[in-house]
Amino acid sequence: MKFIMDNWMLIMVAFASGAMLVWPAARGRGAGAPPNVVVQMINREKAIIVDVGETEEFAAGHLGGARNVPVGQLEQRLPEVAKNKALRLVFVCATGARANRAVGIAEKLGYEKAIALAGGLNAWKEANLPVEKG
């Protein structure tokens, strides 16, 4: 007990640093997949890319082969974009926030392999990966 009383600050620092290490894993899907992992999903799993940005954002730039379904229309239009619920879906938006919401919606609809692009289109561009316009 004396050790704890004498070293309480050290114990708190150790606890806080441990919590910071565990936090990303505890958050679950929120972080999404980084661009290099998404490239592997596209190549190996034939992932379907769904851009959940608005139509104007999609026209300004998107991943090659992506289909545009704004997040507000996702529940109605996702079944026509991806009929097979076992396929890998990768959701993309500008920063990743709407894509994370889209993952939740897709999981609610029964899509088992839904994930967001971590950092969104911005992270994709920072990784110097190709973007299509129009």
Side-chain angles (χ1 to χ4, degrees):
M1 189 66 173
K2 181 175 179 350
F3 177 80
I4 294 173
M5 297 299 281
D6 290 342
N7 297 298
W8 68 271
M9 190 180 302
L10 182 62
I11 293 168
M12 292 303 293
V13 169
F15 177 76
S17 63
M20 286 188 276
L21 287 172
V22 173
W23 180 252
R27 284 181 49 208
R29 71 177 190 278
N36 62 327
V37 174
V38 169
V39 169
Q40 291 175 353
M41 289 176 183
I42 293 168
N43 292 334
R44 294 181 183 162
E45 300 179 47
K46 306 293 186 227
I48 297 173
I49 309 301
V50 181
D51 191 313
V52 293
E54 296 301 319
T55 308
E56 305 82 38
E57 293 172 298
F58 184 78
H62 57 273
L63 276 67
R67 298 172 187 161
N68 183 226
V69 181
V71 74
Q73 302 171 13
L74 197 61
E75 286 190 55
Q76 295 80 25
R77 293 187 48 206
L78 188 58
E80 65 191 47
V81 170
K83 293 177 174 77
N84 185 348
K85 293 186 178 186
L87 290 176
R88 168 69 67 191
L89 295 177
V90 179
F91 292 100
V92 182
C93 68
T95 62
R98 288 175 287 179
N100 283 323
R101 278 187 31 220
V103 169
I105 293 168
E107 288 176 346
K108 187 177 86 174
L109 293 173
Y111 291 88
E112 302 164 2
K113 294 181 174 181
I115 195 160
L117 171 61
L121 189 60
N122 294 340
W124 187 266
K125 289 176 183 176
E126 286 175 16
N128 292 322
L129 293 166
V131 175
E132 292 182 355
K133 297 190 187 245

